Amino acid sequence: MQVWEAVKNSWNKEPYAIRRMLTETSVRASDRRAVFVGVDAYEAAGGVVLRDLFQGDDGGWLEDPALLDRLVAEKLQAEAEALSSEGWKWIEVATDLPYGYSHGLRRLAGDPAPMTDEERASHAALLSEYRALEDEYSGQDEYPEEIDARLGQLEMAMEALEQRPLIYDPAEVARAGVFVTLDRDGSLAVYRGYIRPEDELREETAVQDGDGADDMGQGDDVGVSSLKPSETSVGGTVITSGGQPIGADASEDEDDGALKPLPERLVMELTAHRTLALREAIGRSPDVALTLLLLKLVTDTFRTSSASGSCLEASVRHVYMSAQAPDLKDSVVAKLVDERHAVWEADLPLGDDAVLWDYLTVLDQGSRLALLAQCLSFGINALHEKVNPYGAGISASGLTRRMAHADLVARAVDLDMVEAGWEPTVDGYLNRVPKARILEAVREAKGEGTAQLLDHLKKGEMAAEAERLLKGSGWLPEVLRRADLAAGDCEPIGEGQGVDAGEPDDVDLPAFLTASLPDSAASMMAEE
């Protein structure tokens, strides 16, 4: 009834718009949380599923997100309690782990568990059948469909046996922990064997600091904090329920139409996107990475004044992005960074410094430069941060210099945030800025004529229409644009392409104007 009251006198009666209004507070059945819990379990707990009678709905929409989140938390908690029998010191549970969740932690090196006699026999039988089928059909151009399917089943069965669980040193397990979360497809993801800095052996710290163990206390009691109310202890294992930070809700702006600065939190999230994109670009640009490193080293060596504010932390210190949008870890550049890092990590002998030294000395020059670029990319810091006038953190001049430095690097690697996968969406940008900013974006991308067609809408409707109009346009907010291009090396979006406020020849009409109008009326509006 609420939706009917909202749309009965509106131009926008398109099915997709009505469906969006009906389901804006619901969760799709294909959502990874719903897949993890299962729709049957959700309904058994009293949850309601909304279905579409007129077209396919991929399982429908779950109407009670709070119930779903509670079921997810309870199931993850149960999985964590089951893992506590392995003897871990802590288990952190989170529906969604942020990018860089293991920052600052040491990963344990485990040994693959040997196969049992039964598993070896099963593997041998599978391999024998696989080779027999290959030999039998080796003379044919293509395998028969049923034989090809059987070979695929045998490969999967053998791979499941070959992927062995890792066995860790029990002494280190007692100091290490586990992350329990949901994978992208809704399956359970368990990441074992991470040691926090405060849980490293006290003897090692004492030797480095030159202090005796007696000065700080003995045993594992040192550095163990008391449990918080949100934590659970099972069999000596501390299980922590991690959650996502809650940002301020975007509300309807009662502004006077003037352009105001972007919200600082939004600028921080946008520059986190840019920082990750720069990392990916530096990682595939060894020559630029070497120039960047030399620039930092020469500055440190030959300048007598403080040179703070560089966009490169040349230590290299992995810069953690504390302010980030939820979709950052699933972005195109995040996957590229992780894939490249995994390839190097698989090749490098990380267990012994002498072996690693020998490995590095025999690398060819191209591989050495590529490895340098990969390591250096993790020091990129093009993040906007809050300025602290009292000296703690970055100064205003340091932040200005960092951003100017980042622009130099972006120009050198020819960074394009559109190609890096960023788009102005309702959740990621448009609903986070005033209406004047939304209209400015549409005006720059589509012209004054199209912007004027949106200026009477409420903010939520305006943001949704703007997302549709801006999709594929290549429009970027100022903070994501290259400084050299924004300075006039290219024309602003929309200019020089026949876009004029008085003559909107190619206006892309919003959906609410074209949905219910006859074709002749829509054409007349476009002509006018």
Side-chain angles (χ1 to χ4, degrees), residues 211-235:
D211 297 329
D214 294 337
D215 296 335
M216 299 297 293
Q218 299 287 340
D220 288 337
D221 293 337
V222 180
V224 178
S225 60
S226 59
L227 297 183
K228 299 177 182 178
S230 61
E231 297 174 343
T232 305
S233 179
V234 178

Side-chain angles (χ1 to χ4, degrees), residues 184-500:
R184 295 170 184 170
D185 60 358
S187 59
L188 180 70
V190 178
Y191 306 112
R192 293 176 172 85
Y194 290 90
I195 295 185
R196 294 167 174 165
E198 62 267 26
D199 293 330
E200 295 288 1
L201 287 177
R202 177 61 58 185
E203 290 78 8
E204 296 176 1
T205 306
V207 170
Q208 294 173 1
D209 295 341
D211 297 329
D214 294 337
D215 296 335
M216 299 297 293
Q218 299 287 340
D220 288 337
D221 293 337
V222 180
V224 178
S225 60
S226 59
L227 297 183
K228 299 177 182 178
S230 61
E231 297 174 343
T232 305
S233 179
V234 178
T237 300
V238 176
I239 301 176
T240 305
S241 179
Q244 294 299 309
I246 302 176
D249 294 333
S251 59
E252 182 73 23
D253 290 291
E254 298 297 336
D255 56 79
D256 55 6
L259 285 179
K260 298 178 181 179
L262 293 176
E264 191 164 34
R265 170 79 186 191
L266 176 58
V267 173
M268 295 169 72
E269 291 183 4
L270 293 175
T271 54
H273 272 287
R274 190 185 193 214
T275 295
L276 191 58
L278 279 172
R279 287 182 182 179
E280 196 281 321
I282 286 291
R284 56 177 160 79
S285 307
D287 291 338
V288 176
L290 185 57
T291 303
L292 178 60
L293 177 60
L294 288 173
L295 174 65
K296 182 64 170 65
L297 296 180
V298 168
T299 299
D300 292 346
T301 304
F302 293 95
R303 290 184 183 175
T304 56
S305 61
S306 174
S308 65
S310 172
C311 80
L312 175 65
E313 308 284 354
S315 300
V316 167
R317 178 178 64 86
H318 190 145
V319 180
Y320 179 71
M321 289 165 280
S322 58
Q324 57 178 264
D327 61 347
L328 181 64
K329 68 179 183 303
D330 294 326
S331 63
V332 173
V333 289
K335 294 175 183 176
L336 291 172
V337 170
D338 292 344
E339 288 170 1
R340 187 185 298 116
H341 196 74
V343 170
W344 276 113
E345 192 172 34
D347 287 343
L348 291 171
L350 301 175
D352 185 271
D353 287 344
V355 176
L356 178 59
W357 179 271
D358 293 339
Y359 173 88
L360 295 176
T361 56
V362 299
L363 277 181
D364 60 88
Q365 186 67 3
S367 298
R368 288 164 63 89
L369 288 174
L371 179 56
L372 170 65
Q374 177 66 11
C375 295
L376 200 66
S377 68
F378 282 89
I380 289 292
N381 185 353
L383 293 170
H384 172 86
E385 297 182 26
K386 291 184 178 180
V387 172
N388 191 324
Y390 303 106
I394 195 167
S395 64
S397 60
L399 182 60
T400 300
R401 186 168 180 271
R402 174 190 289 178
M403 293 307 176
H405 198 179
D407 284 333
L408 288 176
V409 180
R411 188 185 313 175
V413 298
D414 196 22
L415 179 67
D416 186 339
M417 288 303 299
V418 176
E419 291 184 359
W422 191 90
E423 281 191 326
T425 61
V426 170
D427 294 333
Y429 181 82
L430 297 168
N431 225 17
R432 312 275 297 279
V433 299
K435 292 168 65 175
R437 285 280 182 183
I438 300 176
L439 292 174
E440 178 195 36
V442 175
R443 185 180 300 112
E444 291 183 349
K446 296 294 182 179
E448 180 65 32
T450 304
Q452 289 178 356
L453 297 175
L454 302 181
D455 60 7
H456 69 288
L457 296 177
K458 292 184 178 180
K459 181 168 178 187
E461 296 174 347
M462 181 184 291
E465 288 296 338
E467 179 183 57
R468 186 183 66 83
L469 292 170
L470 293 174
K471 187 172 184 62
S473 68
W475 181 86
L476 295 171
E478 302 96 319
V479 71
L480 296 184
R481 297 176 190 173
R482 291 245 303 273
D484 57 320
L485 300 182
D489 290 352
C490 68
E491 293 180 334
I493 299 174
E495 292 187 8
Q497 299 175 9
V499 176
D500 184 87

Side-chain angles (χ1 to χ4, degrees), residues 42-77:
Y42 165 81
E43 290 182 310
V48 176
V49 178
L50 176 69
R51 302 303 302 265
D52 193 321
L53 300 180
F54 304 103
Q55 69 174 34
D57 56 13
D58 296 327
W61 294 265
L62 280 62
E63 293 278 81
D64 194 341
L67 172 62
L68 177 62
D69 288 337
R70 178 172 65 82
L71 294 175
V72 170
E74 290 174 353
K75 189 171 181 179
L76 285 174
Q77 181 79 9

Side-chain angles (χ1 to χ4, degrees), residues 15-66:
Y16 81 88
I18 297 174
R19 190 177 296 110
R20 183 180 63 206
M21 296 174 71
L22 286 169
T23 61
E24 62 185 357
T25 60
S26 305
V27 176
R28 292 299 301 257
S30 57
D31 185 277
R32 62 197 180 108
R33 293 170 296 169
V35 173
F36 178 65
V37 170
V39 174
D40 291 341
Y42 165 81
E43 290 182 310
V48 176
V49 178
L50 176 69
R51 302 303 302 265
D52 193 321
L53 300 180
F54 304 103
Q55 69 174 34
D57 56 13
D58 296 327
W61 294 265
L62 280 62
E63 293 278 81
D64 194 341

